[in-house]
Amino acid sequence: MANTSTRTLRLLSLLQTHRYWPGGELADRLGVSIRTLRRDVDRLRELGYPVEAQRGVDGGYQLAAGAALPPLVIDDEEAVALAVGLQAAAESPVEGIAEASVRVLAKVAQVMPARLRRRVEALRAVTVPIGGGTPAGPGVDPDRLTAVALACRDTERLRFSYSAADGRGSRRHVEPHRLVCLHRRWYLVAYDLDRQDWRTFRLDRLSSPQGSGTRFGPRELPAEDAAAFVRAGLDGVPRPHRVQALVAAPAETVRAHVGRWGTVEEVDAGHCRLLMTADSLDWPAMALGSLGAEFRVTAPAELRVLVEEWGARFTRAAGAGAAG
């Protein structure tokens, strides 16, 4: 008979695969008595898993929603699917999704066997992502991304090679602070130990990251947060399009929708001004259109033309649907 810990994990795995398990069938699958099954269920409850029991001859068990998310047990196929999905989500334009995806991906990658890593990479190599809005920035290798994410999490000093915008290469020794996904690109905010100052590094220009094994204490970032620090650095970099629009919605509503993708200035209780910078006008047009509020583009003229073209196209599409 399997030891108690192994059997408990097996029980948890079974409970996660079916919505409801009859008690007798579950005991048979585990090769234990009904009494032992009850003890194992009680052990899961002590660990924070909300297991509900139904009494009677046809009684059984099922996992229920709890107050907190307990650890999950997943098989090889699910682990591969999770990693591939997280890599795709890391390119998401939705605020907070990309950063959270990388944090979870780092946890999964840390414990994933090499054989599963190879399957993940094979799937990624033959999968074409479905994009929308602003084209994705230069690709970042997932291993590089997770290595940097782990160094940030563990407050471990990091060494890597870096290519500047003019092509000049250098070796860097930093204290990594946070990863930030902005304008479909990944940035590392870190304290550069050689230059004795805070710096922003684009991950697509970073290679061969290696943890030094040396831990460090946190430093105070000279900005509200890491995203604000990156944005301040990018403000001095020329970008093709600077968007301004007047939106007939409260500033807080628009700010919650666009998040870090733009700056929202309150005009009055029911109106605000949205400011954005972008490599392509498609994303600002989509963002404005998805606000569910009236808006007027004040700059640039090219965005006004694009919105007008899209509006005419959507009007024709609606007319064609009505006629059909």
Side-chain angles (χ1 to χ4, degrees), residues 213-236:
T214 303
R215 299 294 190 268
F216 61 90
R219 297 176 186 266
E220 185 177 354
L221 182 70
E224 179 182 353
D225 55 30
F229 184 81
V230 173
R231 186 181 296 282
L234 293 179
D235 282 344

Side-chain angles (χ1 to χ4, degrees), residues 14-26 29 51-64:
L14 289 171
L15 287 171
Q16 289 176 342
T17 59
H18 285 253
R19 179 172 177 81
Y20 179 80
W21 278 96
E25 184 179 348
L26 194 54
R29 291 290 294 268
V51 184
E52 292 182 345
Q54 180 177 325
R55 306 293 182 182
V57 178
D58 297 325
Y61 301 92
Q62 68 180 36
L63 278 176

Side-chain angles (χ1 to χ4, degrees), residues 69-80:
L69 181 66
L72 301 177
V73 176
I74 58 176
D75 59 25
D76 287 359
E77 297 293 336
E78 292 166 339
V80 171

Side-chain angles (χ1 to χ4, degrees), residues 19 34 91 171 201 278 316:
R19 179 172 177 81
I34 292 295
E91 299 180 356
R171 287 291 296 174
F201 303 96
R316 290 194 299 272

Side-chain angles (χ1 to χ4, degrees), residues 4 8 15 20 24 32 34 38 51 63 126 163 165 168 176 178 219 240 255 284-286 288 302 304 313:
T4 302
T8 302
L15 287 171
Y20 179 80
V32 299
I34 292 295
R38 292 197 189 103
V51 184
L63 278 176
V126 299
S163 296
R168 287 182 298 176
R178 289 287 187 276
R219 297 176 186 266
R255 191 174 292 116
M286 290 178 63
L288 287 165
E302 295 89 342
R304 289 198 294 269
R313 189 178 305 126

